[in-house]
Amino acid sequence: MSDSRPVGFFDSGVGGTSILQAFRRLCPEEKTLYLADTANCPYGNRPPAEVVRLSEAMVQKLLARNCKMIVVACNTATAAAIDYLRVAYPEIPFIGVEPAVKPAALHSRTGVVAVLATAGTFGGRLYNETKARFAKDVRVLAVVADEFVVLVESIARGEGSLGDARSWSIVESKIRPLVDAGADHIVLGCTHFPHLKRLIAAVAGPSVAIVDPSEAVAAQARRVLAERGLLCK
Ligand code: DGL
């Protein structure tokens, strides 16, 4: 049986398209719907209860368009809302995204890893449980990088570009201190940040691995569709 209903994605803004693109590469036959809550972007510093309310409004819009699965393509919304959403909409599979601290900690040679995310993500249960479980033996530099969210949104509006001096200087001022502190992995813990990946890698240099969870989240979404017989074949 083939299920041709769309897979829904949402984020506070354009960030989650990093996951959408990975999913489209993996599942080109699937229909997708992407919602950006640009009226309320950024989510990063909002209280969790407000992020739950905003996320639920996005979910309701996607369900009104008959989505068969929802990818919460936002670390901040996942941290605040995914537990609630899974209970409130038990018939809908939800896929979330959280900072990939585990692979970074496992592969670090210097014993120092950096995580870039929002305050909301750092305050959430998922990040703190994963860190306590898998990153006990490394030093984790947790850095809030709201400037990157603002930068990605402004470039999406056509203001500036990834190659200009402003972008370089915003990225350099966050990334250079992490490299100087010995970080050999930089975890992109916000879906806006993969849009800056090449710039981050250029500033960090070849000895630093940039950990982007987009492909793994897309693979998980595909796995769950297959398990539940929801694939569009
Ligand atoms: N893209 C989002 C995330 O993954 C949130 C950015 C924001 O709205 O602050 O956390």
Side-chain angles (χ1 to χ4, degrees):
M1 225 176 59
S2 176
D3 191 330
S4 61
R5 290 175 298 158
V7 176
F9 293 73
F10 78 90
D11 180 32
S12 60
V14 297
T17 58
S18 51
I19 294 178
L20 174 71
Q21 284 158 6
F23 182 78
R24 279 192 178 152
R25 280 193 296 274
L26 191 65
C27 305
E29 62 291 344
E30 293 290 339
K31 290 199 190 82
T32 53
L33 260 179
Y34 184 88
L35 278 187
D37 193 7
T38 41
N40 295 298
C41 186
Y43 282 3
N45 292 306
R46 293 180 188 274
E50 197 181 341
V51 177
V52 171
R53 187 177 57 74
L54 295 171
S55 299
E56 183 161 35
M58 301 304 270
V59 164
Q60 284 177 353
K61 285 187 182 134
L62 290 168
L63 293 181
R65 305 282 295 272
N66 203 23
C67 288
K68 60 185 173 185
M69 166 192 267
I70 292 181
V71 179
V72 183
C74 172
N75 292 260
T76 311
T78 299
I82 202 156
D83 292 343
Y84 167 81
L85 293 170
R86 284 180 173 144
V87 172
Y89 303 90
E91 68 291 0
I92 297 295
F94 287 94
I95 305 296
V97 55
E98 60 172 307
V101 182
K102 180 181 170 186
L106 285 178
H107 296 117
S108 178
R109 296 170 316 275
T110 59
V112 184
V113 303
V115 183
L116 301 173
T118 66
T121 298
F122 285 131
R125 174 184 67 78
L126 282 171
Y127 169 74
N128 288 293
E129 283 181 6
T130 306
K131 185 177 146 213
R133 216 162 139 211
F134 299 106
K136 284 192 297 288
D137 303 325
V138 297
R139 188 169 156 231
V140 178
L141 309 173
V143 179
V144 172
D146 294 334
E147 307 87 325
F148 287 7
V149 177
V150 175
L151 177 62
V152 169
E153 289 292 327
S154 69
I155 290 172
R157 285 194 302 271
E159 297 158 18
S161 75
L162 281 179
D164 66 23
R166 177 188 69 138
S167 299
W168 179 271
S169 113
I170 291 171
V171 170
E172 188 179 37
S173 65
K174 275 283 175 214
I175 298 300
R176 183 79 63 207
L178 304 175
V179 179
D180 291 346
D184 64 354
H185 285 70
I186 295 178
V187 178
L188 306 180
C190 167
T191 54
H192 279 74
F193 302 165
H195 296 278
L196 302 173
K197 194 163 150 186
R198 265 191 291 179
L199 197 47
I200 293 171
V203 171
S207 57
V208 178
I210 311 298
V211 186
D212 172 1
S214 311
E215 308 282 344
V217 176
Q220 172 67 2
R222 190 181 195 289
R223 217 164 12 246
V224 172
L225 285 176
E227 277 166 16
R228 302 212 182 186
L230 295 173
L231 285 172
C232 180
K233 291 182 237 170

